[in-house]
Amino acid sequence: MADSSEHPLSGLWTPSHLQAMHYGPASVSQHLLEHLPSNTSKAFIVTGSSLATRTSLISQIESLLGSDHHAGTFANIKQHAPVAQLDEATEAVLKHPAIDTLISVGGGSPIDSAKAISHRHHERQSKYLHHIAIPTTLSAAECTGGAGYTDSTGHKVGVFSPALMPQVIIYDCTFAKETPQKLWLSTAIRALDHAVESMYHPKTPDSPTKQLCLAAIAQLFDYLPKSKKEPANEEYITRLQLAAFNSLYSLGLNLGGGLGLSHSLGYALGSPYGIPHGTTSCLTLASVVRLKAEKPEDAEQLAKILPYIRRTRSGDDREDAVSVGNAIDELLKDVGLDTTLKEHNVGEDQVHKIAKLATKTGEGKLYDSVVALVKTHAAKPSKQDAGLHPPLRSGNASPLARNIAILPPPASPNISWPLESPSPILDPSSEATSLNTSTHSNAILSCSGTRYGRNLRLASCLQIWRIMSSYTVPRSFGERNTGDWDAPLPFRYLSLDGLCAIDLSHAAGVLGDIIAPVDLKEAARLIIQICVAVQPNQGGLVTGLGVNQALSLRIVPYRPTVTCGPDNTGPPELSCRDVIDKMPANNKRQVFGPRDQQGVTVPLPWAYTTGRRRCGATVDAIEEGRITDEGDWYKIWAAANAVDFMCCQQGRSGVATALGDNKRLYVGLRDLGRQERGASNSTVATE
């Protein structure tokens, strides 16, 4: 296959045999049957156990096929497609000669397994099988004729043929909604890896490949943070699916081999160490880009990416290529995917083994460069080991830290959150005044055990601080249900043990403000370092944050009474954020009780769902009977937030009890896909 060239501009693009690519809601139900090869076709479904047992997706496809077309389902494909399961699935297909179609559903492992089954079928029956791929991740395995699986020694084995490329791809955003968010986001980085490494591959033609890869990179940078914030948004899901398609299908049949060093390192880290390929791209891509920046011809191609990620080119290709690598690091931190080898139990003693697997050699300039790259990654501490930044000194203080004045607590806090009183040590005052300053130079940090609580657990505060975003692009934070804010206020981060809360709110008299998430994280760090980390381990407050100095961040203790259900009983990962972000969260006094009782302002049971996800919140009385209690929505919202952090994000349903003035109320979060949407007499609020 001839290399492409820019000087002179020349190249070749060879398309695959793809017949159709559908995208959009309900694409599977609308188009699957029309792409079976014949009216008598028999189809065999290849998927993983999670989709088959924890969702209704596979049963939907089986029902759609009906007895006329459904020949069987293999639902035990595991990560990296181990050969044992591949053997089992192949034999199941070969037992039924009438099978002419494979339908793969899921991520890279089921799709690659279906291609490998087709390869083996051809070896034994001299016939490739028709393949319809229904991806639920963004790994883009459906876009190539290559298939990888793991042999009995734990190493990756690859097969390739143009005939293994699926004939039909169906991107259905309603199917992708079932994908756990971390898997969804990390496989998007895998797609980014495809697009970035395609830019400097010698066989990549300028058109359509590089042009589509640049478009894919732009969409991934634009829509990945949006999808993290709104995981149920079907447009964002579909945009990312199309970006994944553009990242790899655009290569056509030009490649016929490895894509680049980041992918080679991914294979060296993936199967041998049990790391998902989306995560391997999170580990390797940015560093490989910076390494490639040292090679002028590669730097020239990488520099073209900058305008597509809203950065300005300097004119120096090497500098611009390094900037691309740094931008990838920033994106990873923004969506919470920055990670280290230590977090995956890969130590420095594995450096040379990884480098040999990636380079297929044990010496030479490339090998030495890869050793240095992997050694740097292996030496990085895990997030758990990293702890706080070094103590502040005049020479290394951040811009925000240098501008914050450390003063005694103000007479009354300039904040508009209702100061709940989860323990007697907190002042319940909620008096507020407006802030009128315009720069961080007027920000004030204050520590106070009386106002913000004592005896905070440092480890709990560090745990939640570490997951705060370090993204440098400013975002808007404003009062919920008052506008199109990036994040609604009040907003709370909570440690997994529920003992440390990091709260963000706005000054009275304004609706919100704009600030970079990294500045919020820095403000939290200062409170932890100056207030929480020293006796009496007290809470603290930073006021005067944001462009208009209208935001405040505090750290306080919180002791919710939360009970979590068994494992695997909760709603899909992060689906409850839609509910938490839209729930009432004000401090207006309410009377909760039976709908026909005089004076009741919130009839019980009260239920809430956004109508887009499977998470539902319910507020009700703990005991049966005509129970009433008084309270405010802020405390109930805070308790629901605790259930989400402590239970739902760990895959479990949960309830928080002892709410209301007389502790007669509870709030629960549950999976609406497992239960009916509430009793017929409940009050249901939707978005």
Side-chain angles (χ1 to χ4, degrees):
M1 193 75 66
D3 288 0
S4 65
S5 169
E6 292 215 353
H7 310 290
L9 188 61
S10 63
L12 169 71
W13 182 67
T14 307
S16 73
H17 65 199
L18 181 69
Q19 297 171 4
M21 186 273 284
H22 292 279
Y23 59 92
S27 293
V28 170
S29 61
Q30 293 173 8
H31 300 294
L32 177 62
L33 294 182
E34 71 186 62
H35 288 294
L36 295 176
S38 72
N39 293 332
T40 60
S41 287
K42 293 291 185 179
F44 188 84
I45 301 171
V46 180
T47 189
S49 61
S50 293
L51 285 178
T53 61
R54 297 194 62 186
T55 77
S56 63
L57 300 183
I58 304 306
S59 61
Q60 289 177 37
I61 295 174
E62 290 172 343
S63 297
L64 191 64
L65 292 170
S67 58
D68 289 343
H69 298 296
H70 182 223
T73 298
F74 186 84
N76 195 32
I77 298 297
K78 301 184 186 300
Q79 180 176 287
H80 298 303
V83 70
Q85 282 74 49
L86 188 60
D87 290 342
E88 188 179 348
T90 301
E91 292 305 315
V93 170
L94 290 170
K95 285 180 182 178
H96 298 278
I99 293 174
D100 61 0
T101 302
L102 296 175
I103 300 176
S104 59
V105 188
S109 295
I111 293 171
D112 272 5
S113 293
K115 288 186 278 188
I117 293 169
S118 182
H119 170 75
R120 291 174 165 204
H121 191 276
H122 178 263
E123 285 185 326
R124 295 168 65 170
Q125 302 290 338
S126 300
K127 177 186 176 183
Y128 290 105
L129 297 171
H130 187 76
H131 184 181
I132 301 173
I134 305 174
T136 61
T137 73
L138 299 169
S139 62
E142 66 276 5
C143 295
T144 77
Y149 61 91
T150 305
D151 65 17
S152 58
T153 68
H155 292 98
K156 203 76 169 183
V157 176
V159 295
F160 177 84
S161 169
L164 295 180
M165 170 80 186
Q167 278 79 8
V168 178
I169 302 171
I170 305 178
Y171 292 113
D172 191 324
C173 55
T174 59
F175 273 53
K177 281 184 179 181
E178 299 290 348
T179 304
Q181 191 183 51
K182 185 174 182 180
L183 177 61
W184 177 255
L185 298 175
S186 63
T187 54
I189 302 302
R190 187 66 172 173
L192 182 65
D193 203 343
H194 301 329
V196 170
E197 292 221 289
S198 294
M199 291 300 296
Y200 54 73
H201 194 283
K203 297 187 186 302
T204 304
D206 183 80
S207 183
T209 306
K210 289 183 181 179
Q211 301 306 315
L212 289 175
C213 285
L214 288 170
I217 292 167
Q219 287 189 311
L220 289 163
F221 266 82
D222 279 350
Y223 287 99
L224 193 57
K226 294 178 181 179
S227 183
K228 178 179 172 59
K229 186 174 63 178
E230 294 184 50
N233 188 302
E234 294 184 350
E235 180 183 349
Y236 298 165
I237 292 171
T238 305
R239 293 282 185 189
L240 288 171
Q241 288 175 321
L242 294 177
F245 177 79
N246 286 339
S247 76
L248 202 53
Y249 176 75
S250 59
L251 281 171
L253 300 179
N254 281 46
L255 197 59
L259 191 53
L261 179 57
S262 180
H263 282 68
S264 297
L265 281 166
Y267 295 130
L269 290 168
S271 298
Y273 300 96
I275 305 174
H277 280 312
T279 303
T280 63
S281 293
C282 298
L283 286 163
T284 62
L285 180 57
S287 297
V288 167
V289 167
R290 287 188 286 264
L291 178 63
K292 289 289 185 179
E294 302 302 321
K295 191 175 180 180
E297 57 268 36
D298 292 341
E300 179 185 0
Q301 300 306 314
L302 289 166
K304 295 177 181 179
I305 295 172
L306 271 190
Y308 289 84
I309 57 175
R310 305 182 191 278
R311 308 289 176 100
T312 303
R313 293 186 65 168
S314 68
D316 183 324
D317 287 343
R318 179 190 175 280
E319 179 181 332
D320 291 347
V322 170
S323 295
V324 171
N326 294 340
I328 293 169
D329 270 338
E330 289 180 19
L331 177 64
L332 291 171
K333 291 177 181 177
D334 181 40
V335 297
L337 292 177
D338 51 320
T339 186
T340 68
L341 286 175
K342 283 189 176 180
E343 290 176 14
H344 301 279
N345 300 312
V346 181
E348 295 184 53
D349 59 328
Q350 300 296 302
V351 167
H352 289 278
K353 177 182 176 181
I354 294 167
K356 286 180 181 178
L357 286 171
T359 62
K360 310 298 185 190
T361 183
E363 58 185 4
K365 185 177 180 180
L366 176 61
Y367 174 79
D368 293 340
S369 296
V370 173
V371 166
L373 185 154
V374 178
K375 188 175 292 185
T376 300
H377 274 285
K380 288 181 180 178
S382 68
K383 293 178 183 177
Q384 288 72 26
D385 296 335
L388 286 170
H389 291 302
L392 292 178
R393 303 182 184 90
S394 59
N396 70 354
S398 70
L400 177 59
R402 290 195 295 268
N403 283 331
I404 290 183
I406 302 173
L407 299 174
S412 60
N414 292 323
I415 49 181
S416 66
W417 53 58
L419 289 178
E420 80 278 23
S421 185
S423 66
I425 58 178
L426 290 182
D427 184 346
S429 168
S430 61
E431 180 182 350
T433 59
S434 296
L435 297 175
N436 297 313
T437 54
S438 58
T439 67
H440 281 321
S441 61
N442 288 322
I444 296 173
L445 183 151
S446 58
C447 304
S448 173
T450 301
R451 188 174 297 281
Y452 312 120
R454 298 185 181 89
N455 302 316
L456 277 90
R457 186 171 181 264
L458 177 60
S460 300
C461 295
L462 286 176
Q463 180 265 312
I464 193 61
W465 172 80
R466 290 181 183 120
I467 71 168
M468 293 178 69
S469 173
S470 298
Y471 202 44
T472 58
V473 176
R475 292 192 167 176
S476 61
F477 297 81
E479 186 172 330
R480 59 189 54 222
N481 303 319
T482 63
D484 187 20
W485 305 101
D486 290 325
L489 297 178
F491 188 89
R492 165 171 283 186
Y493 296 94
L494 187 69
S495 60
L496 294 180
D497 58 14
L499 298 179
C500 183
I502 300 177
D503 290 340
L504 180 66
S505 193
H506 59 87
V510 295
L511 293 178
D513 206 343
I514 297 172
I515 191 171
V518 69
D519 282 344
L520 295 176
K521 187 169 187 176
E522 176 65 1
R525 182 183 76 85
L526 291 168
I527 296 174
I528 294 173
Q529 184 169 311
I530 296 169
C531 307
V532 179
V534 297
Q535 291 293 333
N537 309 115
Q538 57 194 341
L541 171 76
V542 173
T543 61
L545 298 170
V547 172
N548 297 308
Q549 306 297 298
L551 299 177
S552 299
L553 183 140
R554 69 172 182 175
I555 297 182
V556 295
Y558 184 50
R559 298 176 179 86
T561 306
V562 171
T563 302
C564 298
D567 289 343
N568 302 321
T569 61
E573 185 179 4
L574 294 183
S575 65
C576 288
R577 293 315 306 174
D578 285 342
V579 174
I580 301 299
D581 288 348
K582 294 293 194 324
M583 278 182 69
N586 56 66
N587 63 343
K588 182 180 179 181
R589 299 290 295 173
Q590 304 284 354
V591 179
F592 298 81
R595 63 179 60 246
D596 59 352
Q597 188 158 318
Q598 187 174 2
V600 168
T601 57
V602 181
L604 298 178
W606 180 93
Y608 187 83
T609 176
T610 60
R612 295 185 301 175
R613 297 302 298 265
R614 283 167 46 183
C615 178
T618 301
V619 179
D620 205 352
I622 295 174
E623 302 173 2
E624 292 186 1
R626 299 180 64 78
I627 303 298
T628 62
D629 205 345
E630 294 188 30
D632 62 64
W633 277 117
Y634 183 82
K635 294 186 181 69
I636 292 174
W637 166 81
N641 193 72
V643 174
D644 182 40
F645 271 93
M646 299 170 68
C647 304
C648 297
Q649 293 187 31
Q650 317 310 313
R652 297 180 287 175
S653 58
V655 296
T657 56
L659 300 174
D661 294 351
N662 297 308
K663 303 188 184 305
R664 293 180 171 182
L665 304 176
Y666 77 87
V667 61
L669 297 178
R670 61 192 176 95
D671 183 354
L672 294 177
R674 296 176 181 272
Q675 305 178 42
E676 294 180 359
R677 284 188 177 262
S680 59
N681 67 334
S682 64
T683 301
V684 180
T686 59
E687 185 182 27

